């Protein structure tokens, strides 16, 4: 049976951050903990959110790492309880929003975070007791503001997914103005993350026509505007369209992702310094070649339909077009440029096979298949 469920309240406009206090009132948050990171604070974006929350007693946790960890969640939970907070406002990219989702669980549920991980059978244990969350994205990449999941590195160094409809933010304030100052490299990497979401979920074999339509439209918007946004960070139209692509990719990936994310999650656990969006960009060409052999992809002309949305002549053009786009955006051309070599491949393959995205790829990958994808991505 296909589960098709949409979604949460989304405010999408330039200046949407000004609605924060009203949204807190609507969902019943009176003492918010604002979850962010040092970069968002340094860029002045955090202050815009705090200005919008004027009049509320606000605590701030601004030490979210680039890949959120269980240790960071514990530190924030201590602050949440010490300040008698009753809800969360995440201001940042996917890391801050995912960290806030981890806090929402850990502040209200007993036991280590691993207890609630998807691959540990923990999703049903995440109850409606989770702390309410409002998400304000400052990048256009993960779309975590409209997603039911979070990715967190737990204490045993695995990068695990946590999924429950109870984790869906009660509101998403999508304000493209907050992304105008995003550096070119981060714009490119997070933008390719959004494009990867749209492409992977569109290829997934699960039956969800609304997700397919949203993903394909998001891909068209993201592909057409990622270069413009990277070249000129003040291009308001490009920023708006890229944020929409990010939101749409996450609205759609309730359908499932695939091998790109299995590999990225696993390698990100092995080396937490690596950027998730950059890894997705590097793995997309190899996974597209592998997925071309999937019966559902061939039957439903999935590659050709994506190629049409991207203005390409044929589905066979996709891997090369992605490699060329990565180069034009200034992203690394392969894993070797990131200092990743074959010595970690066995560990990455083991992690990919155990990842929650592995089974929703349209073609089930073996250990040898994953190894070939890694080797061709060097």
């Amino acid at each position: 049976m296909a589960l098709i469920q949409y979604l949460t309240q989304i405010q999408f406009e330039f200046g949407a951050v000004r609605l924060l206090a009203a949204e807190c009132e609507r969902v019943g948050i009176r003492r918010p903990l604002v979850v962010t990171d040092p970069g968002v604070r340094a860029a002045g974006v955090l202050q815009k959110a705090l200005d919008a929350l004027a009049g509320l007693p606000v605590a701030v946790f601004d030490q979210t790492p680039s890949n959120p960890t269980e240790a960071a969640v514990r530190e924030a939970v201590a602050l949440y309880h010490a300040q008698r907070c009753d809800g969360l406002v995440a201001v940042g990219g996917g890391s801050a929003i995912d960290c806030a989702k981890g806090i929402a669980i850990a502040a209200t549920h007993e036991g280590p975070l691993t207890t609630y991980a998807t691959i540990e059978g923990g999703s049903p244990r995440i109850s409606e007791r989770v702390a309410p969350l409002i998400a304000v994205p400052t990048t256009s990449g993960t779309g975590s503001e409209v997603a039911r999941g979070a990715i967190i590195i737990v204490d045993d160094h695995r990068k695990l997914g946590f999924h429950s409809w109870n984790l869906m933010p009660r509101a998403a304030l999508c304000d493209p103005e907050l992304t105008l100052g995003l550096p070119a490299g981060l714009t490119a990497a997070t933008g390719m993350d959004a494009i990867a979401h749209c492409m992977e979920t569109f290829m997934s074999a699960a039956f969800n026509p609304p997700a397919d339509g949203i993903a394909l439209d998001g891909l068209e918007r993201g592909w057409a505007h990622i270069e413009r946004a990277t070249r000129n960070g003040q291009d308001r139209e490009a920023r708006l369209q890229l944020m929409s692509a990010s939101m749409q990719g996450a609205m759609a990936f309730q359908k499932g992702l695939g091998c790109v994310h299995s590999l990225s999650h696993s390698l990100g656990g092995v080396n937490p310094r690596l950027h998730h969006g950059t890894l997705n960009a590097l793995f997309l060409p190899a996974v597209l070649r592998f997925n071309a052999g999937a019966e559902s992809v061939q039957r439903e002309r999935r590659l050709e339909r994506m190629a049409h949305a991207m203005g390409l002549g044929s589905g066979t053009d996709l891997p090369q077009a992605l490699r060329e786009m990565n180069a034009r955006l200034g992203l690394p051309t392969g894993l070797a440029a990131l200092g990743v070599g074959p010595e970690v491949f066995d560990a990455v393959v083991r992690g990919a096979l155990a990842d929650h995205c592995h089974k929703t790829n349209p073609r089930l990958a073996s250990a040898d298949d994953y190894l070939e994808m890694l080797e061709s991505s060097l």
Side-chain angles (χ1 to χ4, degrees), residues 51-69:
D51 291 345
L53 290 167
L56 290 176
V58 175
V60 176
F61 176 76
D62 64 358
Q63 294 302 306
T64 302
S66 57
N67 283 285
T69 62

Side-chain angles (χ1 to χ4, degrees), residues 62-200:
D62 64 358
Q63 294 302 306
T64 302
S66 57
N67 283 285
T69 62
E70 187 172 359
V73 167
R74 275 196 301 273
E75 184 180 348
V77 167
L79 180 61
Y80 183 94
H81 289 312
Q83 297 297 318
R84 296 182 292 114
C85 297
D86 60 3
L88 299 153
V89 173
V91 182
S95 296
I97 300 173
D98 282 8
C99 188
K101 291 177 182 177
I103 298 163
I105 299 170
T108 54
H109 292 66
E110 298 295 327
L113 205 54
T114 310
T115 307
Y116 305 96
T118 301
I119 66 170
E120 300 290 345
S123 292
R125 303 185 188 113
I126 302 173
S127 75
E128 67 279 356
R129 297 194 314 275
V130 297
L133 167 64
I134 295 171
V136 184
T138 63
T139 64
S140 298
T142 70
S144 189
E145 69 275 5
V146 295
R148 72 191 190 282
I151 304 296
I152 297 171
I153 299 175
V154 297
D155 288 340
D156 63 11
H157 307 297
R158 288 181 296 165
K159 194 171 189 178
L160 299 184
F162 298 79
H163 297 84
S164 168
W165 290 109
N166 292 315
L167 290 177
M168 179 69 69
R170 304 288 183 87
L173 302 184
C174 296
D175 185 346
E177 189 170 320
L178 301 182
T179 69
L180 293 178
L182 202 65
L186 196 54
T187 298
T190 55
M192 287 304 298
D193 190 17
I195 285 169
H197 292 158
C198 292
M199 297 185 81
E200 274 223 288

Side-chain angles (χ1 to χ4, degrees), residues 29-42:
I29 298 175
R30 295 175 178 83
R31 300 180 66 90
L33 175 66
V34 176
V35 180
T36 189
D37 62 57
V40 172
R41 180 186 278 278

